[in-house]
Amino acid sequence: MRKKTVLTAAALTAVAALTLSACGSGGDDDASKAVADVSTQPKTQAATVLDKPFEKPNLVLKDTEGKTYDFREETKGKPTLIYFGYTHCPDVCPLTMSNIAIARKALPKADQDKLQVVFVTTDPERDTSAELAKWLPSAGDPSFVGLTGDFPTIQAGARQVGIGIEPATTEKDGSVVSMHGAQVIAFSPKTDGGYVLYGEDTTADDYTKDLPKLIKGETP
Protein backbone atom coordinates (compact mmCIF):
# COMPACT_ATOMS: atom_id res chain seq x y z
CA MET A 1 0.00 0.00 0.00
CA ARG A 2 1.23 3.47 -0.79
CA LYS A 3 -0.12 6.64 0.79
CA LYS A 4 0.03 9.95 -1.02
CA THR A 5 -0.89 13.50 -0.03
CA VAL A 6 -2.70 15.87 -2.37
CA LEU A 7 -3.37 19.58 -2.01
CA THR A 8 -6.91 20.76 -1.36
CA ALA A 9 -8.52 24.01 -2.42
CA ALA A 10 -7.97 27.08 -0.23
CA ALA A 11 -10.68 28.18 2.15
CA LEU A 12 -10.69 31.98 2.20
CA THR A 13 -6.94 32.77 2.22
CA ALA A 14 -5.80 29.51 3.82
CA VAL A 15 -4.51 26.43 2.07
CA ALA A 16 -4.78 23.07 3.80
CA ALA A 17 -3.81 19.53 2.83
CA LEU A 18 -5.87 16.36 3.15
CA THR A 19 -4.31 12.92 3.17
CA LEU A 20 -5.75 10.41 0.76
CA SER A 21 -5.06 6.71 1.03
CA ALA A 22 -4.52 4.21 -1.71
CA CYS A 23 -5.20 0.85 -0.15
CA GLY A 24 -5.27 -2.52 -1.78
CA SER A 25 -4.20 -6.08 -1.51
CA GLY A 26 -1.05 -5.15 -3.36
CA GLY A 27 0.19 -2.98 -6.23
CA ASP A 28 0.94 0.70 -6.75
CA ASP A 29 -1.01 3.49 -8.38
CA ASP A 30 -1.78 7.23 -8.21
CA ALA A 31 -4.35 8.43 -5.70
CA SER A 32 -7.23 10.54 -6.90
CA LYS A 33 -7.49 14.19 -6.00
CA ALA A 34 -10.19 15.52 -3.70
CA VAL A 35 -11.21 19.09 -3.00
CA ALA A 36 -12.70 20.50 0.19
CA ASP A 37 -13.04 23.87 1.85
CA VAL A 38 -11.19 23.67 5.17
CA SER A 39 -11.86 26.01 8.05
CA THR A 40 -9.30 28.64 9.00
CA GLN A 41 -10.24 28.01 12.61
CA PRO A 42 -7.80 25.94 14.68
CA LYS A 43 -8.53 22.23 14.21
CA THR A 44 -8.73 19.72 17.00
CA GLN A 45 -6.31 16.81 17.04
CA ALA A 46 -8.57 14.78 14.79
CA ALA A 47 -11.45 16.86 13.43
CA THR A 48 -11.26 19.35 10.58
CA VAL A 49 -14.26 21.68 10.46
CA LEU A 50 -15.27 22.68 6.93
CA ASP A 51 -16.04 26.32 6.17
CA LYS A 52 -18.46 25.23 3.48
CA PRO A 53 -20.24 22.02 4.51
CA PHE A 54 -20.92 19.40 1.87
CA GLU A 55 -24.46 18.63 0.81
CA LYS A 56 -25.40 15.02 1.33
CA PRO A 57 -24.50 13.06 -1.79
CA ASN A 58 -27.27 11.87 -4.06
CA LEU A 59 -26.74 8.17 -3.48
CA VAL A 60 -29.45 5.60 -4.13
CA LEU A 61 -27.90 2.15 -3.71
CA LYS A 62 -28.63 -1.33 -2.30
CA ASP A 63 -28.18 -2.19 1.38
CA THR A 64 -27.03 -5.48 2.89
CA GLU A 65 -30.49 -6.97 2.38
CA GLY A 66 -30.58 -5.95 -1.28
CA LYS A 67 -33.16 -3.25 -0.61
CA THR A 68 -33.04 0.22 -2.15
CA TYR A 69 -31.43 2.74 0.20
CA ASP A 70 -31.72 6.48 -0.51
CA PHE A 71 -28.89 8.00 1.53
CA ARG A 72 -30.41 11.48 1.71
CA GLU A 73 -33.84 10.27 2.77
CA GLU A 74 -32.73 7.52 5.15
CA THR A 75 -30.32 9.77 7.07
CA LYS A 76 -32.32 13.01 7.00
CA GLY A 77 -32.14 14.79 10.36
CA LYS A 78 -29.83 12.15 11.81
CA PRO A 79 -26.17 12.40 12.90
CA THR A 80 -24.40 10.47 10.18
CA LEU A 81 -20.89 9.30 9.34
CA ILE A 82 -20.07 8.14 5.82
CA TYR A 83 -16.97 6.28 4.64
CA PHE A 84 -16.02 4.93 1.23
CA GLY A 85 -13.92 1.75 1.27
CA TYR A 86 -14.01 -1.96 0.49
CA THR A 87 -14.09 -5.27 2.32
CA HIS A 88 -10.83 -6.64 0.91
CA CYS A 89 -8.89 -3.60 2.15
CA PRO A 90 -6.00 -4.95 4.25
CA ASP A 91 -5.67 -2.13 6.75
CA VAL A 92 -7.27 1.33 6.65
CA CYS A 93 -10.90 0.32 6.05
CA PRO A 94 -11.30 -2.30 8.80
CA LEU A 95 -9.36 -0.14 11.25
CA THR A 96 -11.60 2.86 10.54
CA MET A 97 -14.76 0.81 11.02
CA SER A 98 -13.39 -0.73 14.21
CA ASN A 99 -12.46 2.65 15.68
CA ILE A 100 -15.93 4.06 15.01
CA ALA A 101 -17.55 0.92 16.47
CA ILE A 102 -15.54 1.22 19.67
CA ALA A 103 -16.55 4.87 20.04
CA ARG A 104 -20.21 4.13 19.30
CA LYS A 105 -20.35 1.56 22.10
CA ALA A 106 -19.18 4.22 24.56
CA LEU A 107 -22.28 6.31 23.84
CA PRO A 108 -25.49 6.09 25.88
CA LYS A 109 -27.93 3.64 24.28
CA ALA A 110 -30.21 6.43 23.08
CA ASP A 111 -27.34 8.13 21.26
CA GLN A 112 -26.16 4.83 19.81
CA ASP A 113 -29.58 4.45 18.23
CA LYS A 114 -29.40 7.95 16.72
CA LEU A 115 -26.01 7.58 15.08
CA GLN A 116 -25.99 6.40 11.47
CA VAL A 117 -22.74 4.91 10.17
CA VAL A 118 -22.76 4.25 6.43
CA PHE A 119 -20.07 2.26 4.61
CA VAL A 120 -20.16 2.60 0.82
CA THR A 121 -18.10 0.10 -1.13
CA THR A 122 -15.59 1.30 -3.71
CA ASP A 123 -15.34 -2.25 -5.08
CA PRO A 124 -18.96 -3.17 -5.91
CA GLU A 125 -17.98 -5.99 -8.28
CA ARG A 126 -16.81 -8.06 -5.30
CA ASP A 127 -18.69 -6.32 -2.49
CA THR A 128 -22.21 -7.59 -2.99
CA SER A 129 -24.95 -7.00 -0.44
CA ALA A 130 -24.27 -10.44 1.00
CA GLU A 131 -20.53 -9.80 1.27
CA LEU A 132 -21.10 -6.51 3.08
CA ALA A 133 -23.56 -8.22 5.42
CA LYS A 134 -20.86 -10.71 6.43
CA TRP A 135 -18.01 -8.21 6.72
CA LEU A 136 -19.48 -5.19 8.52
CA PRO A 137 -20.42 -6.90 11.82
CA SER A 138 -16.91 -8.30 12.20
CA ALA A 139 -15.06 -5.21 10.97
CA GLY A 140 -17.29 -2.71 12.73
CA ASP A 141 -20.79 -3.10 14.16
CA PRO A 142 -24.02 -4.89 13.13
CA SER A 143 -25.80 -1.51 13.14
CA PHE A 144 -23.60 -0.13 10.37
CA VAL A 145 -25.25 0.30 7.00
CA GLY A 146 -23.44 -1.21 4.01
CA LEU A 147 -24.20 0.02 0.51
CA THR A 148 -23.32 -1.29 -2.94
CA GLY A 149 -24.41 -0.63 -6.51
CA ASP A 150 -22.96 0.39 -9.84
CA PHE A 151 -19.53 1.99 -9.72
CA PRO A 152 -20.34 5.23 -11.66
CA THR A 153 -23.09 6.07 -9.16
CA ILE A 154 -20.78 5.40 -6.21
CA GLN A 155 -17.93 7.41 -7.74
CA ALA A 156 -20.21 10.37 -8.47
CA GLY A 157 -21.56 10.30 -4.90
CA ALA A 158 -18.05 10.23 -3.46
CA ARG A 159 -17.04 13.22 -5.56
CA GLN A 160 -19.97 15.20 -4.15
CA VAL A 161 -18.23 15.07 -0.76
CA GLY A 162 -14.73 15.66 -2.11
CA ILE A 163 -13.57 12.04 -2.04
CA GLY A 164 -11.83 10.56 -5.05
CA ILE A 165 -12.14 6.88 -5.87
CA GLU A 166 -11.07 4.83 -8.87
CA PRO A 167 -12.25 1.46 -10.21
CA ALA A 168 -10.53 -1.53 -8.66
CA THR A 169 -7.71 -2.87 -10.83
CA THR A 170 -6.05 -6.28 -10.97
CA GLU A 171 -2.26 -6.38 -11.04
CA LYS A 172 -0.14 -8.90 -12.97
CA ASP A 173 0.37 -10.89 -9.78
CA GLY A 174 -3.38 -11.18 -9.32
CA SER A 175 -3.61 -8.71 -6.46
CA VAL A 176 -6.45 -6.18 -6.52
CA VAL A 177 -5.99 -2.49 -5.79
CA SER A 178 -8.82 -0.08 -4.95
CA MET A 179 -7.90 3.60 -4.81
CA HIS A 180 -10.06 5.69 -2.50
CA GLY A 181 -9.98 8.68 -0.20
CA ALA A 182 -9.78 7.59 3.42
CA GLN A 183 -11.79 10.40 5.01
CA VAL A 184 -14.85 10.03 7.19
CA ILE A 185 -17.40 12.81 6.73
CA ALA A 186 -19.75 13.72 9.60
CA PHE A 187 -23.18 15.18 8.76
CA SER A 188 -25.07 17.37 11.20
CA PRO A 189 -28.56 16.31 12.36
CA LYS A 190 -29.45 20.02 12.47
CA THR A 191 -28.53 21.03 8.91
CA ASP A 192 -27.79 17.71 7.14
CA GLY A 193 -24.54 19.34 6.01
CA GLY A 194 -21.25 17.44 6.02
CA TYR A 195 -19.38 19.80 8.30
CA VAL A 196 -16.58 17.76 9.92
CA LEU A 197 -13.89 15.63 8.29
CA TYR A 198 -11.70 12.92 9.84
CA GLY A 199 -8.55 11.45 8.30
CA GLU A 200 -7.26 7.91 8.39
CA ASP A 201 -5.10 8.61 11.47
CA THR A 202 -8.16 9.30 13.64
CA THR A 203 -8.17 6.98 16.64
CA ALA A 204 -10.97 5.32 18.58
CA ASP A 205 -10.28 7.76 21.42
CA ASP A 206 -10.69 10.69 19.02
CA TYR A 207 -14.08 9.43 17.87
CA THR A 208 -15.08 8.65 21.46
CA LYS A 209 -14.35 12.25 22.44
CA ASP A 210 -16.13 13.81 19.45
CA LEU A 211 -19.19 11.63 18.89
CA PRO A 212 -21.26 13.10 21.78
CA LYS A 213 -20.96 16.53 20.11
CA LEU A 214 -21.57 15.22 16.60
CA ILE A 215 -24.75 13.53 17.85
CA LYS A 216 -26.04 17.00 18.81
CA GLY A 217 -24.79 18.70 15.65
CA GLU A 218 -22.18 20.63 17.60
CA THR A 219 -18.65 21.47 16.48
CA PRO A 220 -16.09 19.16 18.12
Side-chain angles (χ1 to χ4, degrees):
M1 185 185 79
R2 176 172 293 183
K3 299 174 185 176
K4 298 186 178 181
T5 301
V6 298
L7 194 65
T8 67
L12 302 177
T13 58
V15 178
L18 296 179
T19 301
L20 297 190
S21 175
C23 72
S25 52
D28 184 16
D29 204 344
D30 291 329
S32 300
K33 293 183 179 180
V35 178
D37 290 328
V38 180
S39 175
T40 55
Q41 301 173 3
K43 70 187 291 293
T44 69
Q45 183 178 358
T48 299
V49 180
L50 305 180
D51 274 341
K52 184 179 180 181
F54 291 114
E55 291 186 13
K56 281 187 175 175
N58 183 23
L59 275 173
V60 180
L61 299 168
K62 297 294 184 181
D63 65 15
T64 53
E65 296 181 351
K67 298 179 180 178
T68 299
Y69 186 98
D70 186 323
F71 179 75
R72 286 181 176 174
E73 289 301 317
E74 295 289 346
T75 63
K76 186 175 182 179
K78 301 176 182 178
T80 303
L81 304 180
I82 191 170
Y83 180 80
F84 292 81
Y86 68 117
T87 65
H88 290 78
C89 177
D91 39 38
V92 178
C93 302
L95 178 60
T96 299
M97 291 297 97
S98 175
N99 285 341
I100 294 173
I102 291 170
R104 177 185 177 275
K105 290 177 182 176
L107 291 168
K109 181 62 168 59
D111 286 346
Q112 289 185 33
D113 294 340
K114 293 176 184 177
L115 181 65
Q116 307 295 299
V117 180
V118 179
F119 179 93
V120 183
T121 181
T122 59
D123 183 16
E125 185 172 338
R126 291 187 295 173
D127 286 345
T128 62
S129 293
E131 185 68 22
L132 288 170
K134 289 189 298 182
W135 183 81
L136 276 174
S138 59
D141 188 280
S143 71
F144 291 179
V145 176
L147 300 180
T148 188
D150 64 278
F151 184 82
T153 298
I154 293 170
Q155 185 179 51
R159 285 175 175 170
Q160 290 173 41
V161 288
I163 295 176
I165 64 174
E166 295 296 334
T169 58
T170 302
E171 303 298 288
K172 292 181 179 180
D173 64 359
S175 60
V176 179
V177 178
S178 180
M179 312 295 292
H180 64 88
Q183 298 99 351
V184 172
I185 307 292
F187 292 88
S188 168
K190 294 180 179 179
T191 66
D192 277 327
Y195 71 121
V196 181
L197 178 149
Y198 293 92
E200 65 181 83
D201 294 328
T202 306
T203 67
D205 287 343
D206 292 326
Y207 285 118
T208 299
K209 179 173 68 68
D210 288 0
L211 280 185
K213 293 183 178 180
L214 296 179
I215 294 292
K216 300 176 182 178
E218 299 174 352
T219 301

